[in-house]
Amino acid sequence: MIRKANISDIPQLAEIYRQLHIIHCGIRNDYYKMPEDNFFDKDMEKLLKTEGITVLVSEQNSEIAGYALIFFIEKGEPVNHNFKKCHIEQLAVDEKYRRNGIGTELITYIKKLAADNNCQSVELGVWCENHNAVEFYSEMGFAPRTYKMEIKI
């Protein structure tokens, strides 16, 4: 079942967020570091209270199996057509629930929510080095739109 997160979900959300961050640290330890343990609880509480941000959870057997943090973006400028998109800022599945369809369930729900909110697209960012995530998102129908490139100095 997918539902909006609430404050009582913070301990479980924070643990899944920590697991996600460990993956990011392993991929880009030059970029990410592990913060103090209470960071994940505090940051998740702040995110849940931020207007315009929605945290969705996949609940399995009264336990949070995964979550997605999303928000909507609307643009219309002199050089762009008006458009609305749904942005996935974070998507994470608890390590004990991975490869059980939780991510697919969240993406499917987000696509429907985006359509119901008149969005033209759903977008996200993913590290090129995160091969598992790139493969998953590709299987879900996501395709590269831009490349963000860097040169290390």
Side-chain angles (χ1 to χ4, degrees):
M1 172 181 86
I2 304 287
R3 62 171 175 81
K4 284 188 178 182
N6 57 57
I7 296 296
S8 66
D9 296 324
I10 289 175
Q12 290 180 76
L13 289 169
E15 172 55 24
I16 299 168
Y17 185 7
R18 186 188 68 75
Q19 293 172 17
L20 174 66
H21 194 71
I22 288 170
I23 292 169
H24 290 159
C25 288
I27 292 168
R28 288 297 303 260
N29 65 0
D30 62 324
Y31 192 83
Y32 290 105
K33 66 179 184 175
M34 283 304 290
E36 294 180 23
D37 285 339
N38 64 353
F39 165 82
F40 300 104
D41 292 271
K42 288 180 181 178
D43 197 46
M44 191 55 71
E45 181 177 359
K46 182 177 92 176
L47 291 167
L48 285 173
K49 292 179 178 180
T50 301
E51 188 174 330
I53 292 177
T54 301
V55 179
L56 301 168
V57 297
S58 170
E59 193 172 46
Q60 307 292 318
N61 303 317
S62 301
E63 193 171 67
I64 295 175
Y67 75 89
L69 187 155
I70 66 168
F71 55 88
F72 297 101
I73 300 169
E74 289 188 69
K75 293 215 174 176
E77 300 172 10
V79 297
N80 297 104
H81 292 285
N82 291 337
F83 66 90
K84 186 175 182 182
K85 60 186 171 182
C86 177
H87 180 82
I88 301 172
E89 183 64 25
Q90 293 179 13
L91 190 141
V93 175
D94 188 301
E95 56 195 8
K96 66 184 167 221
Y97 285 100
R98 290 186 190 145
R99 303 219 181 268
N100 285 299
I102 304 301
T104 300
E105 178 187 40
L106 284 162
I107 294 291
T108 301
Y109 186 91
I110 292 166
K111 286 168 52 177
K112 181 172 181 346
L113 184 64
D116 291 347
N117 280 274
N118 300 312
C119 292
Q120 286 80 29
S121 65
V122 177
E123 71 173 18
L124 54 82
V126 61
W127 287 99
C128 296
E129 300 92 340
N130 191 343
H131 304 293
N132 289 334
V134 170
E135 182 180 337
F136 169 73
Y137 292 128
S138 294
E139 289 173 2
M140 292 290 94
F142 288 86
R145 187 188 71 219
T146 64
Y147 292 100
K148 186 174 185 177
M149 302 173 81
E150 73 177 341
I151 186 169
K152 293 183 182 181
I153 306 297

